[in-house]
Every structure is written in structure tokens, then in C-alpha cells.
């Protein structure tokens, strides 16, 4: 290897020699001169840089504990896989980690031997003395991607956090926001703001709702977006829509639904100037995200969505007749006979039966991969949520068809709430729906007749999502009363009935039994 020619000052030499390369094609030990060059230009420089940045001898890691709790995939979960005692810490983490809640299956005798109370935002991390890999430099994302802003060390940390697949609530950032923000500076700053806010929520277990880092990125995005307003082309560009859309998501994370609504109004005006939402069909990711965020925020407010779903991208599901419940089919037939003037309810029952069958089949077919499938979440799940939101109408408390229609609509949204969390949707806010169910059942005095099982299903869904103490006890009393009418003498009988309707045991059974034990149902 030829010696280097030294020219200029020592400072220029250091800049020119910051990244020297040693090329060797032999597997034998390098000669003395080569080893000396490696020590002089590579090892010595790296050690000096670490000493200057005060990181010498330290792990360059984020605040997250490095190894996830062992969690078996949905559909093949075993209670022993949730044991994170010290004698199991040496096991390799090879399972899919589910987002927001750690769920545990109970055995055939319906006894839950252990309960793990985990914050929805904290996910499934446990301290372990054997980290799998150092966080920074692990190669979670492509370092050669051309970004619209300079990637500093701070931004690199946030990107590394986004691409950490163990954090389920960041999945939408990896799959959607990242790709639509990568082509615009203002959108990318807002993307970093959202990710930084999520990171703060995660570390603080949801106790801290503000982040100085997130606020700085947010105001930088606002500054860049305001500059575009004066340009007629940029104000209606895809980058501008992406910026406003991610800002709406930022406000939804903070539960500032008024600000979310304001930003969605802005997107609607921009799309009207462009000629309608169809002008986004050439940008599939942006088109999907507009509708998906519209559905998510509208569900939090229980209001009609603004935009249609892009059904041209929706896939077809396989034939799942063998997994469909005969009792749910019977219930649908009864509805068509008793209330033929409400065919939209039959359509919703059909779609919910198909989706419920898909989840039931997933327990047999896959190993939890469905929770990472954005197609299932984005098209089928959001389709049913949107369909339920669009069923809103004035309720006549003296009309049985009107009351049952509204109760079923709300029950569907409550049924899907925890499933949406498992798919990584955050936040999922359901207190409006719980209040509506309580008021509807409390002030209506109709006969449910053949639809009494449907009523107890709606009440059970509301009980699962109820947080206020008064609401929980009210729904518990309703279940006790309905259980007597239906001759259900135990929690097991109740669960068996619910499974014949719309029910995903790996999600709903655990939550139901938690409430049954906490409220001492069926003990008197």
C-alpha cells in the first residue's frame, strides 16, 4: 500500500484522513505496516472521538430495556410463555410481540393462573442483563435513503425508535407515515414530532403528554408549512396534504379532537381545490392514510367520516364459511324477518361475521402475523368501523327496531376497540360510545324478544370498555339481570353464549374475566 502524501496543515490532514481504508484480499494476518496504519488511522481516531463525546466505554443505547417479554403469537398462546421470572430470562426472544396490552389465555377450566398488568403504552419490555444488540447502529432503517432534512444524531435516534419493531404502537409510523413524509421537509419534521411524542408517552407510561423535542419539531413543521401557503402549487401539493394530515394525527395523539377536526377541515378544503379526493389515487399511501386517519378520529368522536375508503385497493378474503357461527347467521335471519326496513344492519352483520371468521381462522392458520398485516387493519377493520359510523340516525326510544339498530352499531364499535389496539391503533377512545349505550338502555323500555342474546352481547362489550366505576357497576347489574332471563348461571355460560355471536377469545375473554372477577359477578 503506497504511503500517503502529506500536504497542507495538520488540521487539513486530519480532515482528509478521517476515514482511511485498508484493502486486503488475503485471509492471513496483515503485515506490520498495515496493522500500524489501522491502529494509527482507525482505532486511535475512534477512541479519541469517544473520549471527546464522553461515550468511551459506554453503551450507546436508548432508555428502553433491550429485550422484549416472551410473548407467544396470537392463536397459539400458552400461559407458560408469559412467565418472565428470572429462571426464564435466558430464553431467546423469538415470538411476535403484540401491541398495547399483554394478553393471557386461560385454560380449559377457564382459570387464569396469572395476571400481568401492563400499561397500554409501555408495551412488553422487561429488563434483561443480556441485550440482543446495541440499539444505535443496528441497521433498523436504510442509511442511504435521501431525506428532505439533514439527519442529525437526535433525528437518527428517533428514526431508530420508529423502526424498532418491538414497539407495537409505532407500527403506523413504519408502515405509512414514514413513506409519505420522506419527500417533504415540513411533513418529515412533523413525522419526527409525532414519533418523539410517542416515544415520550412510551417512556413515561402515558403520564407525560408533552415533549419539548416533539414541540420543537412541530413548530418547525408549522413554519415550513406556512411558507408554502403563498405558493399556489405548493399549497395543494401532496407534501402539504401529508403535513396537515400528520399534524392531525399529532393532535389526535394528544386527544385534542377539536384541533384534529380543524386540520381535517383543512385537508378537505385542499382536496376540493385539487378537484376531489380522487386526485390522490396516484399516491396510494397518501390516499389510504387520509381515509384511515379520518376513520380513526371520527370513531373517537362517534361522528360520520368525511371521506370514502378507497375500495379499489381492497383485497378479497377467502371462503370462511366453516368458521362462521350458525347462531349469528340465525340472528341475521331473524333481523331480516322482524325489521326488513333496516337492511343496512343485515349488511353490517354479514361483514362483521366475515371479519370475526377471519380472526377465528387466524387462530388456526397463522402464528400471530395477522396483527402486523396492514391490509387487514386498513381495509377490513376500518371498513367495518366506517360502516358502523355511517349507521348513525335519530333514535326513537319507543321503536324497538331503532333502539336495537343503534345498540348493535355501538356494540360493533366497542367490540372492535381492543382489536384495533392490537393492530397498533393509538389512541382508541371509547368513552362516548360507553355513555351512549348506557343512556340508550337506561331510557328505552322496549322488548328485545328474540334479540335478548344480542342485548347481553352489547352490555358485555360496554362493560369491557367501561372505566368509570359507576358505569362498570351499572353494566354489571345489567348483565346479572339479563343472565337470569337467559338462564345463565355462571361466567362460563355467559362466555359460551357470547362466543356464538361475535367474539375473539384471545382478546375478549381475558378482558371479560378480568371484569367478572373484579366486580364479583355470578358470585351471589
Amino acid at each position: 500500500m503506497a504511503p500517503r502524501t502529506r500536504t497542507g496543515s495538520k488540521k487539513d490532514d486530519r480532515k482528509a484522513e478521517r476515514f482511511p481504508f485498508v484493502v486486503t484480499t488475503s485471509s492471513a494476518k496483515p503485515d506490520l505496516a498495515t496493522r500500524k496504519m489501522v491502529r494509527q488511522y482507525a482505532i486511535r481516531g475512534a477512541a479519541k472521538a469517544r473520549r471527546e463525546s464522553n461515550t468511551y466505554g459506554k453503551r450507546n443505547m436508548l432508555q428502553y430495556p433491550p429485550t422484549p417479554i416472551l410473548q407467544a403469537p396470537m392463536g397459539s398462546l400458552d400461559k407458560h410463555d408469559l412467565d418472565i421470572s428470572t429462571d426464564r430470562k435466558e430464553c431467546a426472544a423469538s415470538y411476535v410481540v403484540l401491541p398495547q396490552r399483554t394478553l393471557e389465555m386461560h385454560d380449559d377450566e377457564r382459570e387464569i393462573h396469572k395476571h400481568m398488568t401492563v400499561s397500554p403504552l409501555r408495551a412488553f419490555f422487561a429488563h434483561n442483563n443480556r441485550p440482543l444488540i446495541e440499539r444505535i447502529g443496528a441497521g433498523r432503517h436504510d442509511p442511504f435513503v435521501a431525506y428532505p432534512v439533514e439527519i442529525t444524531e437526535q433525528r437518527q435516534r428517533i428514526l431508530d425508535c420508529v423502526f424498532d419493531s418491538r414497539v407495537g404502537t409505532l407500527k403506523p409510523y413504519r408502515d405509512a407515515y414514514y413513506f409519505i413524509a420522506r419527500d417533504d421537509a415540513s411533513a418529515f419534521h412533523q413525522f419526527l414530532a409525532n414519533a418523539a411524542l410517542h416515544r415520550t408517552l412510551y417512556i413515561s407510561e402515558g403520564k407525560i403528554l408533552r415533549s419539548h423535542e416533539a414541540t420543537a419539531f412541530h413548530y418547525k413543521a408549522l413554519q415550513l408549512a406556512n411558507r408554502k401557503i403563498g405558493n399556489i402549487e405548493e399549497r395543494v401539493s401532496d407534501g402539504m396534504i401529508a403535513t396537515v394530515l400528520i399534524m392531525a394525527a399529532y393532535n389526535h395523539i394528544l386527544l385534542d379532537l377539536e384541533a384534529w377536526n380543524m386540520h381535517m377541515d383543512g385537508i378537505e378544503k385542499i382536496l376540493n381545490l385539487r378537484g376531489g379526493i380522487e386526485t390522490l389515487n396516484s399516491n396510494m399511501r397518501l390516499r389510504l392514510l387520509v381515509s384511515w386517519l379520518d376513520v380513526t378520529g371520527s370513531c373517537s368522536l362517534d361522528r360520520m367520516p368525511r371521506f370514502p375508503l378507497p375500495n379499489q385497493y381492497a383485497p378479497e378474503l377467502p371462503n370462511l364459511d366453516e368458521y362462521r357461527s350458525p347462531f349469528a347467521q340465525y340472528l341475521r335471519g331473524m333481523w331480516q324477518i322482524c325489521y326488513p326496513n333496516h337492511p343496512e344492519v343485515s349488511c353490517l352483520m354479514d361483514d362483521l361475521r366475515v371479519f370475526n371468521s377471519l380472526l377465528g381462522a387466524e387462530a388456526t392458520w397463522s402464528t400471530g402475523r395477522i396483527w402486523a398485516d396492514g391490509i387487514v387493519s386498513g381495509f377490513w377493520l376500518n371498513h367495518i368501523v366506517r360502516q358502523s359510523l355511517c349507521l348513525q340516525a335519530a333514535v326513537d326510544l319507543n321503536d324497538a327496531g331503532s333502539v336495537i339498530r343503534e345498540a348493535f352499531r355501538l356494540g360493533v364499535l366497542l367490540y372492535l376497540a381492543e382489536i384495533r389496539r392490537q393492530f397498533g391503533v393509538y389512541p382508541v377512545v371509547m368513552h362516548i360510545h360507553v355513555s351512549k349505550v348506557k343512556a340508550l338502555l337506561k331510557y328505552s323500555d322496549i322488548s328485545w324478544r328474540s334479540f335478548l342474546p344480542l342485548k347481553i352481547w352489547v352490555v358485555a362489550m360496554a362493560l369491557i370498555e367501561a372505566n368509570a366505576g359507576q358505569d362498570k357497576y351499572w353494566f354489571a347489574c345489567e348483565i346479572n339481570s339479563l343472565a337470569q332471563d337467559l338462564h345463565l348461571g355462571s361466567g362460563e355460560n355467559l362466555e359460551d353464549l357470547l362466543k356464538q355471536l361475535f367474539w375473539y377469545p384471545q382478546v375478549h375473554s381475558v378482558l371479560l374475566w378480568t371484569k367478572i372477577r373484579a366486580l364479583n359477578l355470578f358470585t351471589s
Side-chain angles (χ1 to χ4, degrees):
M1 185 172 181
R4 297 185 176 215
T5 302
R6 296 184 176 274
T7 58
S9 64
K10 290 184 177 181
K11 184 176 181 181
D12 293 335
D13 286 345
R14 286 195 298 270
K15 289 183 177 179
E17 298 170 359
R18 180 175 297 176
F19 299 109
F21 292 91
V22 175
V23 180
T24 177
T25 58
S26 173
S27 60
K29 186 176 182 180
D31 57 26
L32 181 62
T34 302
R35 295 201 303 272
K36 182 179 179 181
M37 182 173 293
V38 171
R39 289 195 301 271
Q40 181 177 358
Y41 292 107
I43 300 176
R44 183 182 303 172
K48 183 178 179 181
R50 289 181 179 177
R51 285 194 298 269
E52 289 176 351
S53 61
N54 196 28
T55 60
Y56 190 81
K58 299 179 180 179
R59 291 189 181 274
N60 194 3
M61 300 180 71
L62 301 182
Q63 294 97 321
Y64 303 135
T67 306
I69 290 177
L70 298 182
Q71 171 77 32
M74 294 298 287
S76 62
L77 188 62
D78 187 89
K79 62 179 182 297
H80 301 296
D81 291 320
L82 289 174
D83 185 4
I84 57 170
S85 57
T86 54
D87 58 335
R88 288 181 58 87
K89 282 188 177 180
E90 68 277 4
C91 298
S94 59
Y95 287 126
V96 174
V97 179
L98 303 177
Q100 294 209 20
R101 283 188 185 174
T102 300
L103 298 179
E104 181 182 5
M105 285 289 293
H106 55 81
D107 58 15
D108 294 335
E109 290 76 28
R110 299 175 175 87
E111 294 180 357
I112 302 177
H113 297 286
K114 297 180 182 178
H115 297 279
M116 295 178 60
T117 304
V118 179
S119 167
L121 292 172
R122 193 59 179 167
F124 319 102
F125 287 87
H127 287 279
N128 193 307
N129 295 325
R130 297 178 55 194
L132 299 181
I133 193 166
E134 285 198 356
R135 300 288 305 234
I136 302 300
R140 299 190 193 279
H141 63 97
D142 188 352
F144 300 103
V145 171
Y147 291 104
V149 300
E150 180 185 357
I151 300 300
T152 62
E153 184 179 353
Q154 177 194 33
R155 294 165 184 171
Q156 175 72 28
R157 287 199 195 96
I158 296 175
L159 285 173
D160 183 75
C161 174
V162 167
F163 282 89
D164 185 352
S165 60
R166 299 174 299 177
V167 185
T169 54
L170 285 172
K171 185 181 184 301
Y173 293 85
R174 295 189 292 272
D175 296 348
Y177 292 110
Y178 171 76
F179 293 99
I180 70 168
R182 210 170 56 185
D183 298 327
D184 184 85
S186 59
F188 197 79
H189 276 95
Q190 188 58 52
F191 164 78
L192 294 173
N194 291 28
L197 179 60
H198 242 108
R199 182 183 175 208
T200 300
L201 287 167
Y202 175 85
I203 295 172
S204 68
E205 299 182 343
K207 297 175 183 177
I208 300 176
L209 295 179
R210 293 289 176 180
S211 163
H212 295 297
E213 193 176 42
T215 302
F217 283 124
H218 175 61
Y219 281 109
K220 181 63 176 178
L222 285 172
Q223 184 182 24
L224 294 173
N226 286 332
R227 294 176 186 173
K228 294 182 180 181
I229 295 178
N231 187 310
I232 186 61
E233 293 182 359
E234 290 189 347
R235 76 172 66 167
V236 294
S237 64
D238 286 3
M240 188 66 174
I241 294 175
T243 302
V244 179
L245 187 66
I246 303 175
M247 286 181 179
Y250 180 82
N251 294 121
H252 188 250
I253 296 171
L254 294 173
L255 297 180
D256 188 350
L257 298 179
E258 183 177 350
W260 171 87
N261 192 54
M262 179 187 69
H263 283 102
M264 295 304 293
D265 284 340
I267 291 175
E268 190 171 16
K269 292 177 182 177
I270 293 174
L271 290 175
N272 289 336
L273 290 173
R274 284 177 57 128
I277 195 171
E278 294 78 13
T279 58
L280 293 181
N281 287 343
S282 59
N283 189 339
M284 184 183 73
R285 283 195 175 96
L286 187 58
R287 172 66 182 88
L288 293 174
L289 200 59
V290 168
S291 295
W292 293 354
L293 186 60
D294 179 35
V295 169
T296 300
S298 298
C299 186
S300 298
L301 291 169
D302 196 33
R303 51 163 288 175
M304 298 276 287
R306 304 165 183 267
F307 306 111
L309 287 176
N311 292 323
Q312 64 268 28
Y313 304 123
E316 292 185 6
L317 285 178
N319 188 352
L320 301 170
D321 288 337
E322 60 181 300
Y323 296 95
R324 298 181 184 179
S325 166
F327 186 73
Q329 176 69 22
Y330 164 78
L331 201 65
R332 175 185 176 276
M334 287 296 299
W335 179 267
Q336 290 179 321
I337 295 172
C338 297
Y339 305 106
N341 295 329
H342 297 288
E344 65 280 358
V345 176
S346 300
C347 293
L348 180 57
M349 286 183 177
D350 273 339
D351 289 343
L352 188 59
R353 282 193 308 116
V354 171
F355 183 74
N356 194 67
S357 300
L358 175 65
L359 291 179
E362 181 273 337
T364 303
W365 294 346
S366 76
T367 55
R369 290 188 299 272
I370 191 171
W371 302 113
D373 192 336
I375 298 298
V376 174
S377 170
F379 288 108
W380 281 94
L381 185 56
N382 280 341
H383 167 73
I384 299 174
V385 173
R386 188 181 187 281
Q387 194 175 357
S388 301
L389 294 172
C390 291
L391 282 182
Q392 296 184 67
V395 179
D396 184 356
L397 296 178
N398 297 317
D399 179 17
S402 178
V403 172
I404 298 175
R405 177 180 185 270
E406 177 68 5
F408 177 66
R409 181 190 77 83
L410 294 169
V412 170
L413 294 173
L414 292 167
Y415 163 82
L416 296 174
E418 185 60 29
I419 293 175
R420 292 169 64 211
R421 295 187 187 105
Q422 296 298 310
F423 274 106
V425 179
Y426 177 83
V428 178
V429 185
M430 302 305 296
H431 61 271
I432 292 178
H433 311 78
V434 171
S435 299
K436 285 187 174 182
V437 170
K438 182 179 178 180
L440 182 68
L441 299 180
K442 189 174 182 179
Y443 297 110
S444 63
D445 188 19
I446 63 166
S447 173
W448 285 70
R449 295 177 297 178
S450 302
F451 298 98
L452 205 57
L454 187 64
K455 181 178 182 180
I456 199 170
W457 175 79
V458 173
V459 175
M461 291 296 104
L463 176 63
I464 286 175
E465 288 296 322
N467 292 320
Q470 293 181 347
D471 290 342
K472 288 188 289 188
Y473 284 108
W474 190 88
F475 288 118
C477 292
E478 282 291 300
I479 285 182
N480 272 329
S481 175
L482 292 170
Q484 292 178 7
D485 295 338
L486 292 167
H487 307 290
L488 304 176
S490 65
E492 287 82 359
N493 297 145
L494 172 62
E495 185 184 13
D496 289 340
L497 174 63
L498 297 175
K499 285 180 178 178
Q500 297 180 52
L501 293 168
F502 311 102
W503 195 257
Y504 189 51
Q506 285 87 336
V507 170
H508 297 110
S509 291
V510 177
L511 303 177
L512 176 67
W513 279 97
T514 300
K515 291 294 177 72
I516 287 177
R517 287 179 170 82
L519 299 171
N520 295 319
L521 284 171
F522 301 103
T523 57
S524 58

